Amino acid sequence: WVFLGEVLLNIELEYDQPFTEDLCGTCTACLEACPTDAFPEPYILDSSKCISYLTIEHKGAIPADKRAGLEDWVFGCDICQDVCPWNNRFATPESDVDFAPFSPMPHLNPHSLLSMDQLEFSNVFSGSPVKRTKRSGLLRNASVILGNLGDNNSTHVLASSLTEDSDPIVRAHSAWALGQIGHAEVVSLLRHAHENESDADVLVEIKAALDKLSNQKE
């Protein structure tokens, strides 16, 4: 496992030599396991395809061609770490209390997240790295996940998000998700939303969802 950190100092240190030993050998477990093919070749990571980047660091709309790759990951991804033989064979639990969670992490249920306003988001995730996504990013992710799952039971929560959420990023991704679910009721909901939407980007997503569903009928 890897923990990245940085310390800013105003003193000179004796630096270690760069670590150059190849411990991977012929192993390609992480390359093969990554659902978005974020490793184009050994030792190279394309961050634009990385689920952790897309769900945490990326701001604004997630590119449409990368949404399906998120599968059911709402926040981050550790698949490459999970499959690493070094982690599986030699990792030991960390006992340093400074690295322990402040409190149990709430379950990131996509349905519950889409009903969360800014105040609740701030309270629930206070002191948590989840706040790095901001409310906009986390609810955006939740919408994409529900679209990937394609569950009809998600229709109404996504429709409410599409028509009532104040954030256009969330509304746009809810429209996309509805297009992935797709049934007669969804078409009606999207058309109604289109008539009442004023944001240009959201309108583009609604139209794309309607076009997708129309093409499926033909």
Side-chain angles (χ1 to χ4, degrees):
W1 295 88
V2 178
F3 184 86
L4 299 178
E6 186 174 11
V7 179
L8 302 180
L9 301 173
N10 61 356
I11 58 174
E12 285 293 326
L13 301 175
E14 293 186 14
Y15 300 106
D16 296 335
Q17 293 300 309
F19 187 87
T20 58
E21 185 178 356
D22 179 6
L23 298 179
C24 297
T26 60
C27 177
T28 56
C30 59
L31 282 72
E32 296 165 3
C34 179
T36 56
D37 296 323
F39 297 98
E41 58 183 277
Y43 311 108
I44 300 296
L45 171 66
D46 181 352
S47 64
S48 70
K49 295 181 178 179
C50 176
I51 293 175
S52 285
Y53 168 76
L54 290 169
T55 58
I56 302 175
E57 308 300 341
H58 181 77
K59 307 306 178 187
I62 295 175
D65 62 344
K66 292 183 170 64
R67 295 172 188 172
L70 267 59
E71 297 183 345
D72 60 353
W73 292 91
V74 179
F75 180 88
C77 171
D78 286 322
I79 291 176
C80 57
Q81 296 291 299
D82 286 332
V83 301
C84 177
W86 284 98
N87 290 341
N88 291 320
R89 296 174 187 171
F90 303 112
T92 57
E94 175 56 62
S95 58
D96 191 326
V97 296
D98 288 334
F99 293 105
F102 293 114
S103 60
M105 175 63 70
H107 180 60
L108 301 182
N109 180 282
H111 290 98
S112 300
L113 291 176
L114 282 178
S115 64
M116 190 174 283
D117 60 21
Q118 181 59 55
L119 179 60
E120 184 180 3
F121 172 82
S122 298
N123 289 336
V124 170
F125 299 110
S126 176
S128 163
V130 174
K131 289 197 72 176
R132 289 173 62 182
T133 65
K134 304 187 183 305
R135 176 186 181 274
S136 179
L138 192 62
L139 272 65
R140 169 201 66 188
N141 299 344
S143 296
V144 171
I145 297 327
L146 292 180
N148 288 340
L149 294 174
D151 184 1
N152 288 342
N153 292 326
S154 301
T155 299
H156 290 293
V157 68
L158 286 167
S160 295
S161 177
L162 172 58
T163 57
E164 299 174 14
D165 200 283
S166 61
D167 191 322
I169 291 294
V170 177
R171 297 201 303 275
H173 288 73
S174 294
W176 177 86
L178 285 168
Q180 301 305 299
I181 295 174
H183 52 72
E185 184 183 7
V186 166
V187 173
S188 177
L189 291 169
L190 287 169
R191 286 174 177 168
H192 174 73
H194 191 275
E195 293 173 358
N196 296 277
E197 181 59 61
S198 60
D199 186 272
D201 292 333
V202 180
L203 287 169
V204 168
E205 292 282 1
I206 294 174
K207 185 177 184 305
L210 286 169
D211 290 345
K212 177 179 183 297
L213 296 176
S214 176
N215 291 334
Q216 288 178 348
K217 290 182 180 181
E218 296 177 356

